[in-house]
Amino acid sequence: MARSRSTILIGFGIVLCLMAIMIVLGLSRMAHVQDRLERIVHEHNVKTELLGNMRNAARERSVTLLRLAITTDPFDLDAGIMDFRQEASDFMVNRGRLTQMSLSAREEALLEDSRGLTVRAVQAQEAVLEHILNGESEHANRVLLEQAIPLQGAVLANLDALLALQREAGEAMVEEAAARYRSAVILMSLLGLAALLLGALVGRTVGLRTARVEADLYREKERAQVTLHAIGDAVITTDTQGLVDYLNPVAEHLTGWRNHMAGGRSLAEVFRTFHEGSGEPVPHPLIHAVPDATASSLHQGVVLVSRDGREFAVEEVSAPIRDRDGHVIGAALVFRDVTQAREMARRLSWAATHDSLTGLVNRAEFERRLDLMVTTARQEGRGHAVLFMDLDQFKLVNDTCGHAAGDELLRQLTRRLQGQLRDNDTLARLGGDEFGVLLEGCPMERAGQIAETLRATVAEFRFQWQEKIYTVGVCIGVAPIDEHIKSVASLMSDADAACYLAKEQGRNRIHIIQHGDQALSRRQGEMSWVQRINEALERDRFCLYHQHIVPVSGNEPPHTEVLVRMLDADGAIIAPMAFIPAAERYGLMPAIDRWVIARVLNHLCIPGPRPHGLYAINLSGQSLCDNQMLDFILDMLARTGVEPGRVCFEITETTAIANLTQAERFMSALRNLGCRFALDDFGAGMSSFGYLKQLKVDFLKIDGSFVRDMNEDPINRAMVESINHIGHIMGIQTIAECVAHEAVMDHLKAIGVNYGQGFGLHMPAPLEPAALPGRADNVIPLNTKKAGA
């Protein structure tokens, strides 16, 4: 009996040992599960927080860039740039922390995609910022609309995918916790069966452990809710009847409902949406039935009205919630506030069709509407008219008073012009001081009357700035829009040509195009030169001539003026006056000037005998205002190695005074390098000696109208003598133009003029041995793309 009892005790002891081992193993496994879940949940929460920070930084960076694109305040610009850089830093800091964490293969792939998207988005944003800093607001808005915002949207979509991945991971953790729980229950049940031998003690142990597991699971549920609280989007969950179960804090803010107040209420009462345009209610599909398929969303243009009456533009998506068996047990509605994004889109849409300074329609929108009018004229036989307007004397106000004054003048004047037009007419700013008007359903007689009203309005306008009053004029070209119009481009060309015909006829005038308009035909003939000039530039069909500038006394160093000629397809010489007016009219002079500068400097740097002294190169007013011309000249001097002191640039008096600020900057930079400057045709323009103090020129070229017959006209002789005297007092040497015969030279010598130039002294001759197209021996090439020609 004792042995049996001993055996029973031994057996009971073995059972107890085995039970103890099983209990230890079970407890160890559950502790391991708990530790693993806590570690995974912690990593999940950290990842979610970092991704949320990255998304917020990326979104704020786009908003800051938009604010920079539309602001005109320099302080706001500086502050915006600092915010822009700080947001980029915040993005990269959070990204760096995220990359240091353990990531799944899918997370690493999405994060790698994010890196490429972010690089392209940053490049586009930096391009927008560069345009903004350069004052190129139109380019900045275009790049922002077409590149930066779509790329940044792709970055946000990528981050949303990562956040969605985290949400999926959270759901997976809940599923894993449930599975682990079921496994633990089974294990503990087995232990409970074995613990029947131990009675209530083992049962109590199992009960306590089960309660602890339930507490852990409850804490995991709380952590999942914390995750929903932490995400940046609003979340509402419902049951299968469309009644609200839960709102996260973002949803509480947007709907105006607290979670405990919304529970059990219909989704229609909590989530009230309306169409943004019509104000009609837009009920959500979840109100009627929970979808049994994948995610769905409302149409665009939906506004959420909160409980307290606030309105938010929203985007949303909803999806069913399923249990572990795949049965639908409710739905989740995720939405976000996109009010700022929609406002940004509206502003960009407006900016794409309007001028930011005056609020008028811009050139692109003007041409779009003009195209519609041409279409109706062809298809319906309706008659319209288009006006092309160019202000006179606006540049004078802009240069003398500054751009702020010019901007204010345009704002005031456009308001007055708008008041003279009909409601269905379109006034547009085409660029600078050029405007266009579309007169819908307007016969030409009435169009002429409206044009005269606009001309008179501008003539009567008085602009006051800093106690000074300025007047401006306008030239208007009027063109009919009828079924005979070939294209919008030809129509714009006709109206433009008519406007400039009005300028040539004396300014502050109107020119109405009539059938068989010979003056317009001559103007359009000029335009044919544009193609010929461009072809000559492309095929190097220009050549250089030179004319000596002869010392009057014989004691001055020699001086040579370089002249440009164009060659036709057969190699015949085309005189400058045949193509220069068209080149000036259509902005081709900077390209021609670049060709001349490059050719002259190449000529001077080629080894071989060269005449000593200065080589004078003419610069047009367009080149003087070209921001890239100065850099081009400096680059060519450096590449050819020509001594700057051998180069003299000739600028006409009227060009220099009309562009005084640009001329001073341009001349100062090159004079500091050693180049010389001559003021050409002096006396024929504004003839203000006061400007000479600012321009700092080396030579005054006395206009030939005074020199040509000065030996017979005492007044002209006195003008030459006066200009020469003032020039010498200011330390400027003088050059008399148009010296036709020796008698004029005698008078110039008596007056003391330094140089003479004209056909009587030297006929222009080729500068190079052979003036042939395509000659490029030992020539440093002209990079016209780099020069901006």
Side-chain angles (χ1 to χ4, degrees):
M1 181 67 70
R3 185 174 180 181
S4 176
R5 185 180 299 115
S6 175
T7 302
I8 292 173
L9 290 175
I10 293 172
F12 186 74
I14 292 174
V15 169
L16 288 178
C17 289
L18 292 174
M19 288 297 301
I21 293 172
M22 292 176 64
I23 291 173
V24 169
L25 290 175
L27 292 176
S28 174
R29 180 180 178 186
M30 295 188 71
H32 175 72
V33 169
Q34 179 179 351
D35 290 343
R36 181 172 179 274
L37 287 177
E38 287 179 350
R39 184 170 60 258
I40 293 174
V41 169
H42 173 73
E43 289 182 357
H44 168 73
N45 290 339
V46 172
K47 288 180 182 178
T48 300
E49 179 183 1
L50 293 176
L51 286 170
N53 292 341
M54 290 170 65
R55 193 183 190 282
N56 290 337
R59 181 187 297 171
E60 288 301 316
R61 187 170 167 90
S62 291
V63 173
T64 301
L65 193 60
L66 172 64
R67 189 169 67 249
L68 291 175
I70 63 176
T71 187
T72 57
D73 189 300
F75 296 100
D76 288 344
L77 185 63
D78 291 340
I81 292 174
M82 293 178 63
D83 293 340
F84 186 76
R85 301 302 186 195
Q86 182 59 45
E87 288 152 4
S89 176
D90 294 343
F91 184 92
M92 294 308 298
V93 167
N94 284 276
R95 180 187 178 86
R97 292 180 56 193
L98 183 62
T99 57
Q100 294 175 359
M101 300 185 67
S102 61
L103 301 174
S104 66
R106 189 177 175 188
E107 288 174 331
E108 289 181 348
L110 286 174
L111 198 58
E112 183 62 29
D113 291 342
S114 170
R115 183 178 291 106
L117 292 172
T118 303
V119 169
R120 292 194 293 274
V122 168
Q123 290 174 347
Q125 290 170 344
E126 290 294 337
V128 173
L129 185 59
E130 182 177 356
H131 286 308
I132 293 171
L133 294 176
N134 290 337
E136 300 169 347
S137 60
E138 184 175 353
H139 291 162
N141 288 330
R142 184 171 65 253
V143 175
L144 180 62
L145 180 63
E146 297 176 357
Q147 299 181 23
I149 289 180
L151 287 173
Q152 193 69 346
V155 172
L156 292 175
N158 178 273
L159 294 175
D160 288 341
L162 281 166
L163 284 170
L165 194 61
Q166 295 305 310
R167 287 193 292 270
E168 293 174 5
E171 295 173 357
M173 283 188 286
V174 172
E175 291 290 336
E176 182 180 1
R180 298 288 183 177
Y181 173 73
R182 290 193 297 270
S183 176
V185 168
I186 293 173
L187 176 63
M188 297 307 293
S189 298
L190 293 175
L191 292 175
L193 292 175
L196 291 176
L197 298 174
L198 301 177
L201 180 62
V202 175
R204 178 176 175 82
T205 301
V206 172
L208 291 175
R209 187 60 180 171
T210 302
R212 189 178 304 168
V213 170
E214 289 177 347
D216 290 342
L217 291 175
Y218 181 77
R219 284 195 296 271
E220 293 302 326
K221 180 181 178 180
E222 285 187 329
R223 287 173 183 152
Q225 289 183 339
V226 168
T227 301
L228 289 177
H229 276 58
I231 66 175
D233 291 338
V235 179
I236 298 177
T237 61
T238 68
D239 61 15
T240 55
Q241 304 301 317
L243 301 180
V244 174
D245 282 336
Y246 167 79
L247 282 77
N248 74 345
V250 181
E252 289 180 334
H253 169 71
L254 295 180
T255 62
W257 287 87
R258 304 295 293 175
N259 184 38
H260 68 277
M261 297 170 58
R265 294 181 181 271
S266 169
L267 181 63
E269 184 179 0
V270 176
F271 189 73
R272 298 187 302 140
T273 50
F274 299 84
H275 192 277
E276 188 174 26
S278 64
E280 294 293 326
V282 183
H284 198 280
L286 286 180
I287 295 172
H288 304 292
V290 175
D292 194 27
T294 57
S296 61
S297 62
L298 293 173
H299 296 294
Q300 296 293 324
V302 172
V303 173
L304 170 66
V305 179
S306 70
R307 188 184 183 192
D308 53 8
R310 293 173 299 153
E311 294 185 0
F312 302 95
V314 294
E315 291 180 350
E316 62 77 43
V317 63
S318 59
I321 301 175
R322 303 176 185 275
D323 62 13
R324 61 179 178 270
D325 297 323
H327 300 135
V328 175
I329 59 174
L333 175 63
V334 181
F335 56 99
R336 69 185 63 173
D337 178 9
V338 294
T339 305
Q340 290 184 344
R342 286 191 189 170
E343 179 62 24
M344 180 190 304
R346 280 192 289 267
R347 289 181 180 179
L348 290 175
S349 177
W350 186 91
T353 57
H354 290 78
D355 172 54
S356 60
L357 175 64
T358 62
L360 299 178
V361 168
N362 63 16
R363 189 181 192 96
E365 178 64 11
F366 177 84
E367 292 181 352
R368 187 190 69 81
R369 297 185 185 185
L370 179 59
D371 185 62
L372 291 176
M373 295 179 80
V374 170
T375 300
T376 60
R378 289 173 178 169
Q379 297 177 354
E380 304 173 11
R382 298 183 62 193
H384 315 291
V386 59
L387 277 59
F388 194 94
M389 306 167 59
D390 189 273
L391 297 181
D392 296 329
Q393 302 303 320
F394 169 74
K395 188 170 181 59
L396 181 62
V397 175
N398 214 33
D399 289 345
T400 56
C401 301
H403 292 291
D407 291 348
E408 181 59 26
L409 185 152
L410 291 177
R411 281 190 287 264
Q412 292 184 20
L413 185 58
T414 51
R415 285 195 293 267
R416 296 197 178 203
L417 292 174
Q418 191 77 65
Q420 302 299 323
L421 297 174
R422 305 170 301 173
D423 292 340
N424 60 336
D425 294 335
T426 298
L427 175 63
R429 185 184 181 200
L430 304 182
D433 56 356
E434 294 180 344
F435 296 86
V437 179
L438 297 178
L439 302 177
E440 185 177 357
C442 184
M444 287 302 291
E445 181 179 356
R446 177 59 179 150
Q449 294 172 357
I450 293 175
E452 175 57 30
T453 300
L454 295 176
R455 186 204 64 76
T457 299
V458 175
E460 295 167 2
F461 174 63
R462 298 294 181 268
F463 176 66
Q464 184 173 355
W465 186 264
Q466 296 179 349
E467 301 180 354
K468 292 183 180 180
I469 296 178
Y470 299 87
T471 60
V472 292
V474 66
C475 291
I476 305 177
V478 185
I481 305 175
D482 54 30
E483 64 274 13
H484 303 296
I485 297 299
K486 296 179 180 178
S487 65
V488 171
S490 65
L491 180 59
M492 287 288 288
S493 176
D494 289 348
D496 184 34
C499 177
Y500 276 87
L501 281 172
K503 275 188 181 294
E504 291 176 352
Q505 293 164 2
R507 298 182 180 272
N508 200 27
R509 293 175 180 269
I510 298 170
H511 186 92
I512 301 176
I513 296 177
Q514 305 290 344
H515 290 294
D517 195 327
Q518 294 183 354
L520 181 65
S521 297
R522 286 194 302 271
R523 169 59 65 180
Q524 291 173 332
E526 274 189 7
M527 295 177 64
S528 67
W529 279 102
V530 174
Q531 181 178 358
R532 297 179 65 181
I533 294 170
N534 282 324
E535 185 177 350
L537 285 167
E538 182 178 349
R539 300 187 179 183
D540 200 21
R541 286 213 299 258
F542 284 95
C543 62
L544 299 180
Y545 274 55
H546 74 288
Q547 185 179 39
H548 294 161
I549 300 175
V550 181
V552 174
S553 63
N555 298 323
E556 302 290 346
H559 200 149
T560 300
E561 179 177 359
V562 178
L563 308 170
V564 66
R565 303 287 188 266
M566 194 169 86
L567 303 171
D568 65 14
D570 298 326
I573 299 293
I574 301 175
M577 291 311 297
F579 64 89
I580 291 295
E584 291 177 338
R585 170 70 178 83
Y586 294 100
L588 297 176
M589 280 309 300
I592 295 176
D593 287 348
R594 282 178 170 84
W595 188 94
V596 172
I597 292 167
R599 198 73 172 192
V600 171
L601 295 180
N602 277 305
H603 174 75
L604 293 178
C605 75
I606 295 175
R610 292 286 181 273
H612 297 290
L614 290 174
Y615 278 71
I617 303 172
N618 290 280
L619 278 183
S620 67
Q622 295 172 4
S623 294
L624 196 64
C625 298
D626 186 347
N627 294 331
Q628 296 180 336
M629 179 59 76
L630 178 59
D631 292 336
F632 172 77
I633 294 173
L634 296 175
D635 178 62
M636 287 304 302
L637 286 171
R639 292 166 66 190
T640 59
V642 173
E643 174 62 38
R646 298 197 64 191
V647 181
C648 177
F649 292 101
E650 291 193 5
I651 303 171
T652 64
E653 174 199 6
T654 51
T655 295
I657 294 175
N659 305 280
L660 195 58
T661 302
Q662 294 96 323
E664 286 185 280
R665 183 185 67 85
F666 186 91
M667 294 168 66
S668 175
L670 290 177
R671 278 178 59 84
N672 290 338
L673 199 64
C675 295
R676 310 283 189 88
F677 279 88
L679 199 59
D680 200 6
D681 298 334
F682 191 81
M686 301 178 185
S687 302
S688 174
F689 288 103
Y691 287 112
L692 295 178
K693 296 180 181 179
Q694 294 176 259
L695 291 175
K696 309 286 186 191
V697 297
D698 302 280
F699 301 94
L700 279 184
K701 298 193 74 172
I702 304 171
D703 189 70
S705 62
F706 303 125
V707 177
R708 191 175 292 109
D709 58 352
M710 61 177 289
N711 58 316
E712 298 175 358
D713 189 332
I715 295 178
N716 283 344
R717 188 184 192 281
M719 288 293 295
V720 173
E721 189 171 5
S722 174
I723 294 172
N724 180 73
H725 179 65
I726 295 296
H728 284 178
I729 290 176
M730 300 182 71
I732 303 173
Q733 291 185 308
T734 53
I735 302 171
E737 299 180 304
C738 298
V739 178
H741 45 76
E742 194 66 31
V744 174
M745 284 293 282
D746 293 338
H747 284 269
L748 295 176
K749 186 177 295 185
I751 292 172
V753 174
N754 300 96
Y755 292 91
Q757 180 181 3
F759 291 163
L761 302 177
H762 179 248
M763 292 296 293
L767 177 65
E768 298 170 311
L772 297 175
R775 176 181 172 83
D777 299 338
N778 300 318
V779 172
I780 295 177
L782 166 61
N783 188 341
T784 55
K785 292 184 178 180
K786 180 178 179 181

